[in-house]
Every structure is written in C-alpha cells, then in structure tokens.
Amino acid sequence: MSANPTQQQPITAADKVFLQLQQAIVEGQIAAGSKISEPELAKRYDVSRATLRDAISRLEKCHLVERQANVGARVVNCTVEGLLDLYITREALEGMACRQAAEKMSDEEIVDMKAMLEQHAKAKALQDGIAYYQEEGDLDFHYKVILGSHNQQLINILCGQLYHLLRMYRCQFGMNSPRASKAFDEHSRIIDAIADRDGELAEILMRRHIAASRKNIENKIALMDAELEQSEQAQPQLMQQQAN
C-alpha cells in the first residue's frame, strides 16, 4: 500500500471503480446497510463482474462492505456503538501516531501543518463556531499527523483501513459540532507539542482530543434519546386532548 492511500490515482479499471464506489458509500449515495447488487453495479460503472468483485474485496478491507452468510455483500450499517468503538480505537492508535510524529516528522512537514491550520482558521463555519470540516487527505489534520508518524503499520491501519469508514460515519451523523472552535484550538496545541518534539505531551493531547470528541457524540446521542422519549410520552397526552 502506498504511504498516501487516500490520494491514490486510479490505474486499472478495478482501481477506478473502487474509488468511485468508495466515494459513493462514504457520501451516502449507496445507502448504509444496502445489499450490493453485482449485476446492477457492473452495469452502472461499465465494468466486468470480475473487476467489480475485485473492487468489492478492497472495500471489505476498508470496512465499508461486509459479507453475510446467505445474503452476500452489504454496505456496513452506521451504528452508534460502531462509531464509539471506532473513536476508542482511534484514541489509542492516533495517540501513538502523534507520539511518533513528534519524533519523526520533519521540520518542513511541521511548517506545512501549521500553514494548513492557518487555512482552516479562515473557514467561515469554523469562525462561526458551527462546524470544523476538513477536506479529505492532505487537508485533514489527523491524516497528516498519521503520515507524519512515518510508521507504515499505523498508516496502513488508520489511513488505509479506517479512514473512509470514519468519514462515512461523519457524513451519516453530520458535521456540525459545538466543539468546532475547541477542536481547532486542540489541533493547534497538538502541533505545538509536535514542534517541541515532546512526544509524551503530543500523545496525551491527541488522546484527550479524540476522547473529548467521543464524549461529545455520547452527549449528542443521549440528548436525542431524551428528546425521543419525551416525544413518545407526550404523544398519548396529545391524542387524549384531541379525543376530548
């Protein structure tokens, strides 16, 4: 796998359809939980069934597609439990990547990271404290930190296997967050720790950053559940009033 797996250029027909399907799944054009119809997709993307199967196998390795007995291939379902498990995994692995980035990232890479954050700061949604959206790959803070670890195993797992699954969850659950400004400030402190070559602090800050994001998701889900329960409790009362 290349050191920059999300930015690979399509070479073969299988590469091309893999990237097209990956984008369609991440952005919800192919719905989460939906069954993969090989004849339909082969026709839509104008490829052979063999080429399509190769692309689907690669999507399995990215955890975007799963095979079920007597069912076949399906797009993965986005569940709250799955999202929280993903954040717990990220906390551990990205913390380690951040520690190694402090040790191995070049001065030029650090300068580039700081310039990227300056660009992020100009985004209106971030300035308004509504959302902190980062484009895929080289414009993504976390992606760049992982590459900066220069640890190919971490790169393969986090950028190759889990990266697009996380982006799929973000698209499904929404990008807006009350933590937008705080998340940006945390990114700034993380890159400062990396620039100071303080691996221990960099890891701690990254783990706290991801843990805080996970806690925000838990709070958001709890609020949604409370609102749903309140709505269900109010429904019988409303029906009774209408009956009277």
Side-chain angles (χ1 to χ4, degrees), residues 3-21:
N4 198 351
T6 70
Q7 297 293 93
Q8 59 185 306
Q9 295 299 315
I11 299 173
T12 66
D15 291 334
K16 185 176 180 180
V17 73
F18 163 70
L19 293 174
Q20 289 174 325
L21 285 169

Side-chain angles (χ1 to χ4, degrees), residues 25-225:
I25 290 171
V26 167
E27 294 179 356
Q29 297 166 19
I30 300 177
S34 62
K35 190 176 186 301
I36 299 291
S37 170
E38 290 186 6
E40 178 186 334
L41 291 177
K43 183 178 180 180
R44 183 191 304 181
Y45 292 101
D46 193 24
V47 293
S48 68
R49 294 280 289 274
T51 297
L52 182 67
R53 288 189 187 113
D54 180 46
I56 291 172
S57 293
R58 291 165 66 180
L59 291 168
E60 283 187 81
K61 294 177 182 177
C62 296
H63 305 282
L64 295 176
V65 167
E66 59 187 3
R67 291 192 182 274
Q68 299 176 348
N70 304 318
V71 176
R74 284 188 179 277
V75 177
V76 297
N77 274 308
C78 290
T79 65
V80 173
E81 294 78 10
L83 178 58
L84 295 178
D85 284 348
L86 184 56
Y87 267 77
I88 290 170
T89 302
R90 287 182 62 216
E91 182 182 334
L93 295 182
E94 287 196 39
M96 177 58 68
C98 202
R99 176 186 285 269
Q100 294 206 297
E103 299 170 359
K104 298 180 180 180
M105 190 178 277
S106 69
D107 291 341
E108 183 180 351
E109 287 175 303
I110 292 171
V111 169
D112 184 50
M113 289 278 292
K114 290 185 174 182
M116 180 186 66
L117 287 181
E118 289 177 3
Q119 287 299 115
H120 288 178
K122 297 176 183 178
K124 188 176 186 306
L126 177 58
Q127 291 176 351
D128 293 342
I130 298 171
Y132 182 12
Y133 177 73
Q134 300 169 65
E135 296 289 342
E136 178 181 321
D138 284 338
L139 295 176
D140 183 331
F141 176 84
H142 289 266
Y143 176 86
K144 295 277 280 185
V145 168
I146 295 162
L147 289 189
S149 73
H150 296 279
N151 182 317
Q152 196 60 45
Q153 294 297 329
L154 287 172
I155 292 169
N156 288 347
I157 295 169
L158 290 167
C159 291
Q161 296 180 30
L162 299 180
Y163 186 77
H164 285 93
L165 178 61
L166 178 62
R167 293 191 73 83
M168 178 184 178
Y169 269 104
R170 284 175 174 166
C171 287
Q172 295 287 327
F173 282 85
M175 297 287 187
N176 290 0
S177 170
R179 268 183 43 78
S181 298
K182 287 184 179 179
F184 177 81
D185 292 340
E186 288 162 6
H187 283 183
S188 298
R189 288 195 290 272
I190 288 168
I191 195 59
D192 285 345
I194 290 174
D196 291 339
R197 305 299 180 184
D198 191 336
E200 181 178 4
L201 178 59
E203 179 175 2
I204 289 170
L205 291 175
M206 179 61 86
R207 291 181 67 107
R208 286 177 179 172
H209 169 66
I210 295 174
S213 295
R214 175 169 53 84
K215 186 63 177 177
N216 178 63
I217 293 168
E218 291 174 338
N219 291 339
K220 184 176 181 180
I221 298 301
L223 180 61
M224 291 171 59
D225 288 344

